[in-house]
């Protein structure tokens, strides 16, 4: 995405442009609420940035808003929180429309047990157990604010995760752990011990990328 | 789709299989409620047909139900009605998630005028004005039961069309005519005259295929 944005911006501004993003999402993840930042001295109106970029970008990328920010704004370091959504297709048959947009689990899920397990995550704690092997974060303490399960339509289960910041693959491992509970490979009561162990091998599988949506990035009100 | 189904069925049944479909949808149209029929002497349970085909078909095709039907059943000729849905993305900015699933109209639509125009279609009448050039149907009289506009989410307009049968591209020309009304190229009051003229050149544009969904095919209760 970054490369496409920089190419489009360079055309629009008629000068080289560097873009900084809020979140490096894995391939297949849907970055609906991605935030990106660039600096320019060209006098160009904000609606011109949005419309101009949309006419230059490929169909898979759309700019839905353009805003001016203080010079010290950084899309990642200024962020105070993020909201991710994960969609499960929980029914026996797959759906062509959701093939690249949800994780298909054909076996019935114990949603009650998943809700019980979900309640174990919120709070400020060490989430090393939910950290991918390649994660380079220096600290593993994060604050998960909320993990909420709902069913927006029959056969679809939505898991909404809000927190201040996330380790690499943290949401996908959290979801994989919930699914392992829902399918009986783990018990809800084990989740607190798994988190306390700080041991990635004790948590559940990593849910695949196509079900994950970065919904929004939160900033302080004055940004 | 037919070819993929026949290949999968031939593997499943271990004999050549011919499939008859309810509707020949154009490329890009989403045939969610397509109905297809085949004949076999193999003793195979219905859930085995569904599961077996789903394991053999590409991700873009899913069998959601399998049923036995009377020997004289024909998916197209036994049908008593069809329900189509057309999705418009009615907002300035495009949506990557809806790029191949809706028709993007960036200019504000006059939905009130579109509703007024929609009311002119229902009834049994000659719909030659809504017939594509290549249509080979012998008669052009059809019964449109209902054309309903709604907004399932902000920025999305859904047009639900129900009728006994449809001419080639009829729903897409109907939707294109409504959009021409919504954008001021036609007036709602002109629609009855356009239909009465039986003249395709007087109706609106043909809406592109990617916004169209075949939702369901209706049969008599005893099928």
């Amino acid at each position: 995405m970054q490369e496409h944005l920089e190419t489009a911006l360079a055309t629009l501004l008629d000068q080289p442009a560097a873009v900084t993003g809020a979140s490096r999402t894995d391939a297949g993840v849907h970055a609906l609420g991605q935030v990106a930042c660039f600096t320019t001295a060209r006098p160009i109106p904000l609606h011109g940035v949005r419309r101009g970029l949309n006419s230059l970008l490929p169909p898979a990328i759309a700019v839905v808003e353009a805003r001016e920010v203080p010079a010290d704004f950084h899309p990642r370091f200024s962020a105070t929180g993020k909201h991710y959504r994960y969609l499960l297709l929980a029914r026996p048959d797959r759906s062509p429309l959701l093939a690249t947009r949800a994780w298909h689990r054909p076996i019935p899920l114990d949603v009650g047990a998943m809700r019980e397990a979900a309640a174990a995550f919120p709070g400020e704690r060490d989430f090393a157990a939910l950290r991918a092997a390649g994660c380079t974060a220096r600290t593993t303490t994060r604050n998960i604010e909320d993990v909420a399960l709902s069913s927006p339509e029959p056969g679809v289960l939505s898991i909404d995760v809000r927190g201040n910041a996330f380790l690499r693959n943290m949401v996908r491992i959290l979801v994989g752990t919930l699914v392992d509970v829902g399918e009986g490979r783990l018990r809800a009561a084990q989740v607190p011990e798994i988190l306390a162990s700080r041991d990635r091998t004790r948590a559940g599988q990593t849910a695949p990328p196509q079900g994950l949506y970065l919904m929004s990035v939160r900033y302080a009100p004055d940004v």
Side-chain angles (χ1 to χ4, degrees), chain A:
Chain A
M1 190 200 81
Q2 188 173 353
E3 197 188 314
H4 287 294
L5 253 186
E6 289 179 345
T7 305
L9 260 180
T11 305
L12 187 72
L13 303 172
D14 196 23
Q15 66 181 24
V19 157
T20 316
S23 176
R24 268 176 288 178
T25 50
D26 295 320
V29 173
H30 312 284
L32 290 189
Q34 180 68 282
V35 174
C37 182
F38 69 96
T39 306
T40 185
R42 298 261 192 244
I44 178 166
L46 284 172
H47 72 266
V49 172
R50 202 195 75 210
R51 288 191 200 165
L53 287 178
N54 281 334
S55 71
L56 293 163
L57 286 164
I61 311 175
V63 176
V64 294
E65 192 186 343
R67 245 199 252 179
E68 250 185 289
V69 286
D72 63 351
F73 174 83
H74 189 287
R76 185 143 59 102
F77 303 126
S78 305
T80 58
K82 280 180 190 166
H83 169 201
Y84 282 98
R85 176 170 293 164
Y86 198 97
L87 293 185
L88 297 171
L89 178 65
R91 66 175 205 189
D93 300 302
R94 65 166 178 260
S95 157
L97 288 184
L98 292 177
T100 60
R101 303 187 180 191
W103 186 20
H104 182 205
R105 304 310 301 167
I107 295 162
L109 295 166
D110 182 344
V111 177
M114 292 171 74
R115 285 218 164 85
E116 194 190 326
F121 293 101
E124 184 171 73
R125 42 181 111 240
D126 186 335
F127 285 104
L130 304 184
R131 170 194 209 176
C135 179
T136 55
R138 275 177 304 173
T139 66
T140 48
T141 298
R142 298 291 184 272
N143 184 19
I144 289 192
E145 292 149 14
D146 194 41
V147 180
L149 278 69
S150 63
S151 178
E153 55 181 283
V156 176
L157 192 63
S158 171
I159 302 174
D160 284 90
V161 183
R162 290 177 171 83
N164 71 331
F166 294 88
L167 300 166
R168 182 157 176 214
N169 284 3
M170 182 168 155
V171 179
R172 289 167 55 190
I173 298 169
L174 184 158
V175 168
T177 302
L178 288 182
V179 165
D180 283 350
V181 168
E183 294 177 353
R185 283 181 298 276
L186 289 172
R187 283 176 297 106
Q190 286 177 274
V191 174
E193 311 160 20
I194 290 169
L195 292 176
S197 76
R198 307 183 64 251
D199 180 357
R200 168 68 190 96
T201 66
R202 293 193 56 193
Q205 60 188 311
T206 305
Q210 79 271 9
L212 185 61
Y213 298 75
L214 170 62
M215 300 303 289
S216 59
V217 184
R218 192 177 62 205
Y219 297 96
D222 58 325
V223 175

